[in-house]
Amino acid sequence: MNRLTIDTCPLCDGSHIKHFITCTDFYASGEQFELFRCDDCSFTFTQGCPLESEIGKYYETPDYISHSDTKKGAMNFIYHYVRRHMLNKKAQLVLKETRLRSGKILDIGTGTGYFANAMQLRGWEVEAIEKNASARTFAKEHFLLDVKDERALNNFPSGSFDVITLWHVMEHLEHLGETWQRIFELLTDRGVLVVAVPNCASYDADKYAEHWAAYDVPRHLWHFTPATMQQWGAKHGFILAARHPMPFDAFYVSMLSEKYRGNSSSFFKGVAVGSLAWLSAQAKKERSSSMIYVFRKKR
Ligand SMILES: [Zn+2]
């Protein structure tokens, strides 16, 4: 297996990177992976990830909820309920941040296409990219979306989009720097970039440490905080214009983290911890389990 070894910090280019914690892939392989952290800027990443060309098998289990559409069990029921609520929230956020009623949007890592469809229904011109072939087929069959594979990113003309969205996608991308550069080119001058990622400085991340489900090794390579996300944007020509907490994520992440800890009543404990995490995010949004970041081009 070929692995990605990182010896300088991808954010600040410093060389003071150190072992931070060891996490287990509870979801698929049971293998252990090391998280490293930069001493200079505190950027955190998974060391020794399988390369993109070989990581496919780490996504293969029937539980992979982001791409599944089955309604099994209480956690999935809640997931589907929250998804409906969040789709609405996300669409409203795009309208508010772009100050447009309709426009041209690119959704990268669209999965089964629910968000892209929500924008299409609101009259937006939608392009969507997804590397998983069966997810693309689902989006085509259910929403008549012509979802393209990841190669399409290089084929759109510069300045094509009013908004580009990546909902819980950035943390998976091996070629993160190149992707941001491309996103910068694809946006119009007044274009808006919307990124949602887990927050490894959240209440639930602190509480669960190596059992925190959103470390999700080796599928998640990069582990952002509000500070490192802002710095990452600045490095690629963007200013951070707004941050929005996603406190609901704490419930799902806490239930899953309890399960990974071996708790047999993970549902109830997860709800309890999720509630505390939710309260913590109400007091201080930087503590939210996941965050939505809105970037604009620096002028
Ligand atoms: Zn660094």
Side-chain angles (χ1 to χ4, degrees):
M1 163 112 13
N2 293 306
R3 291 175 184 274
L4 188 65
T5 306
I6 298 166
D7 40 35
T8 54
C9 173
L11 179 52
C12 75
D13 303 313
S15 55
H16 304 116
I17 52 170
K18 287 202 184 115
H19 180 260
F20 166 51
I21 47 172
T22 303
C23 293
T24 304
D25 175 12
F26 293 103
Y27 163 75
S29 68
E31 290 169 31
Q32 289 193 324
F33 292 87
E34 311 296 339
L35 261 53
F36 275 52
R37 182 166 276 181
C38 173
D39 261 355
D40 300 324
C41 72
S42 87
F43 186 64
T44 307
F45 55 91
T46 308
Q47 186 66 282
C49 269
L51 293 184
E52 211 167 68
S53 51
E54 301 178 22
I55 205 166
K57 71 165 181 151
Y58 293 91
Y59 282 85
E60 282 164 18
T61 119
D63 279 351
Y64 197 54
I65 203 159
S66 300
H67 285 207
S68 90
D69 209 48
T70 53
K71 291 190 177 173
K72 277 190 206 146
M75 272 159 83
N76 266 15
F77 176 80
I78 291 165
Y79 174 79
H80 284 87
Y81 174 81
V82 171
R83 180 171 64 189
R84 272 200 303 280
H85 173 79
M86 285 310 294
L87 277 175
N88 220 353
K89 286 280 222 193
K90 288 172 179 175
Q92 282 170 2
L93 184 138
V94 167
L95 300 192
K96 179 174 163 259
E97 294 291 351
T98 57
R99 301 179 192 108
L100 294 172
R101 292 181 71 178
S102 69
K104 211 169 163 193
I105 183 169
L106 170 64
D107 188 35
I108 299 177
T110 202
T112 43
Y114 280 85
F115 171 71
N117 179 57
M119 294 309 293
Q120 193 168 247
L121 292 173
R122 283 168 172 80
W124 281 63
E125 198 180 324
V126 175
E127 290 283 1
I129 291 180
E130 170 57 44
K131 64 187 265 187
N132 183 290
S134 51
R136 286 200 302 270
T137 306
F138 182 99
K140 188 159 207 162
E141 285 172 358
H142 287 75
F143 304 127
L144 302 174
L145 279 166
D146 177 27
V147 179
K148 300 181 168 73
D149 69 27
E150 67 269 34
R151 288 169 300 182
L153 197 63
N154 293 316
N155 300 335
F156 299 115
S158 294
S160 291
F161 298 101
D162 300 304
V163 57
I164 297 180
T165 49
L166 294 96
W167 301 108
H168 286 286
V169 169
M170 204 68 90
E171 62 272 31
H172 297 262
L173 299 177
E174 183 180 314
H175 305 287
L176 191 62
E178 290 94 321
T179 304
W180 273 71
Q181 200 179 330
R182 191 68 195 122
I183 287 169
F184 188 91
E185 293 162 2
L186 289 176
L187 281 171
T188 62
D189 287 344
R190 300 172 65 86
V192 173
L193 168 62
V194 180
V195 175
V197 287
N199 174 13
C200 72
S202 64
Y203 174 94
D204 39 308
D206 282 351
K207 158 111 187 142
Y208 289 112
E210 73 272 22
H211 291 106
W212 188 50
Y215 281 129
D216 204 21
V217 291
R219 291 161 295 281
H220 291 185
L221 279 84
W222 321 112
H223 310 284
F224 287 100
T225 65
T228 56
M229 192 78 244
Q230 178 170 20
Q231 201 179 335
W232 185 271
K235 184 178 174 170
H236 293 90
F238 290 94
I239 54 159
L240 180 59
R243 295 179 307 185
H244 303 274
M246 299 178 90
F248 273 126
D249 281 30
F251 290 95
Y252 179 68
V253 168
S254 298
M255 286 176 211
L256 211 50
S257 304
E258 288 294 338
K259 191 174 145 193
Y260 291 168
R261 268 179 161 184
N263 190 332
S264 56
S265 51
S266 60
F267 180 84
F268 298 103
K269 189 71 202 294
V271 169
V273 175
S275 304
L276 290 173
W278 185 84
L279 276 172
S280 161
Q282 298 307 305
K284 199 172 179 217
K285 69 179 174 185
E286 294 81 6
R287 294 286 279 164
S288 172
S289 186
S290 281
M291 296 277 285
I292 301 170
Y293 301 91
V294 179
F295 291 95
R296 294 173 197 281
K297 287 186 177 182
K298 231 178 270 173
R299 303 228 183 164

